[in-house]
Amino acid sequence: EEKYNARVILTRSPGEEILPFQNASFTNRLGADFFIRLQLYRESTIKPKIFLYHLVFDPMVDCAKRNIDSLTFISVNQAHFANIHKTKSFGQKMYESLNLRLYKKYFDCNPLQGLPLKHLVGIQAPALTIECGISYDDQWKVLVDPLVDSLRFIEGLKVK
């Protein structure tokens, strides 16, 4: 946190269970500007892989232009509608940053994909899942600086 001048709002310990909609409720009450879920998994290949995902149930419906009144009731399955274009823009900017030539020897980054991800349902802020495949325990350390660097596009984020 100190190295990157960032504040982690919500974390969980391995094995700790997060109840459905707990992150969405907390994120919405906090009025977060951006929600990121970071997931690690064991990869069989030596070179790490990064995947970027955002919530989409139906691309035609979800991405349609709409005016959302702040006093209108919105179901949890439609909460992402208000910021889906901002979410896609953030994800694309992160992908472009992570796909720079200088990083290609360290990891592979796949383009942003829209999927029906249960853990992003109900979140109103722009929200992404970053999934990283690593082959050994300390390999995540190679990904930290590029991931933080990919967030520099966010106005007001000061990354040292």
Side-chain angles (χ1 to χ4, degrees):
E1 290 180 7
E2 291 176 20
K3 178 179 178 183
Y4 300 105
N5 193 28
R7 191 172 118 209
V8 175
I9 302 293
L10 180 66
T11 62
R12 74 168 186 85
S13 303
E16 182 182 347
E17 184 177 342
I18 301 294
L19 300 173
F21 303 115
Q22 185 175 343
N23 284 339
S25 175
F26 183 76
T27 302
N28 294 341
R29 283 186 286 127
L30 190 64
D33 296 321
F34 190 25
F35 178 89
I36 298 173
R37 177 180 172 123
L38 180 64
Q39 301 179 167
L40 299 175
Y41 71 93
R42 182 72 62 185
E43 176 63 51
S44 59
T45 61
I46 298 297
K47 193 174 184 184
K49 291 181 174 39
I50 297 177
F51 297 89
L52 303 171
Y53 304 118
H54 69 100
L55 177 62
V56 170
F57 292 110
D58 181 337
M60 294 282 291
V61 174
D62 293 14
C63 296
K65 297 269 186 199
R66 52 178 57 85
N67 292 326
I68 298 175
D69 181 2
S70 63
L71 299 176
T72 303
F73 173 78
I74 300 170
S75 79
V76 293
N77 290 330
Q78 297 176 348
H80 65 291
F81 287 1
N83 284 301
I84 194 164
H85 298 289
K86 197 175 205 180
T87 295
K88 288 173 69 175
S89 173
F90 285 7
Q92 185 59 35
K93 288 176 182 174
M94 288 183 71
Y95 170 71
E96 289 167 5
S97 176
L98 293 168
N99 209 36
L100 293 173
R101 181 173 292 199
L102 80 117
Y103 296 138
K104 291 211 179 266
K105 65 181 177 182
Y106 300 111
F107 58 83
D108 292 324
C109 184
N110 293 278
L112 179 67
Q113 296 178 46
L115 297 172
L117 301 166
K118 184 177 179 180
H119 58 265
L120 295 181
V121 171
I123 297 174
Q124 295 171 345
L128 293 174
T129 294
I130 303 169
E131 191 173 67
C132 303
I134 57 175
S135 58
Y136 56 89
D137 291 347
D138 286 346
Q139 198 171 28
W140 63 268
K141 294 175 182 178
V142 164
L143 304 175
V144 173
D145 286 334
L147 285 170
V148 171
D149 207 39
S150 74
L151 298 172
R152 290 186 187 274
F153 67 87
I154 300 174
E155 193 171 314
L157 181 68
K158 295 173 177 63
V159 181
K160 296 179 184 177

